[in-house]
Amino acid sequence: MNKEERKEFYEQLKERINQLRMINLFEEPCPLYEPDEEEDGLE
């Protein structure tokens, strides 16, 4: 792999990682926003 091919490979890899992060971050339903059953009875 020459320098140019390596650069292109890492750019593609970085883009793919960013895509996967966004997919996982905005996955529905997001468990971070689901209320816990224990917290429903706040007094």
Side-chain angles (χ1 to χ4, degrees):
M1 214 187 271
N2 66 29
K3 197 172 187 177
E4 195 63 36
E5 290 173 330
R6 194 174 320 151
K7 181 180 177 185
E8 183 178 335
F9 172 76
Y10 283 115
E11 286 176 359
Q12 290 174 353
L13 183 60
K14 183 179 175 184
E15 180 61 32
R16 182 65 179 144
I17 290 169
N18 286 337
Q19 289 173 352
L20 291 172
R21 277 190 187 141
M22 296 306 283
I23 289 170
N24 288 330
L25 184 63
F26 294 108
E27 190 175 77
E28 293 293 335
C30 181
L32 296 175
Y33 296 110
E34 291 180 2
D36 291 337
E37 292 179 17
E38 297 171 359
E39 293 179 7
D40 290 344
L42 294 176
E43 294 180 22

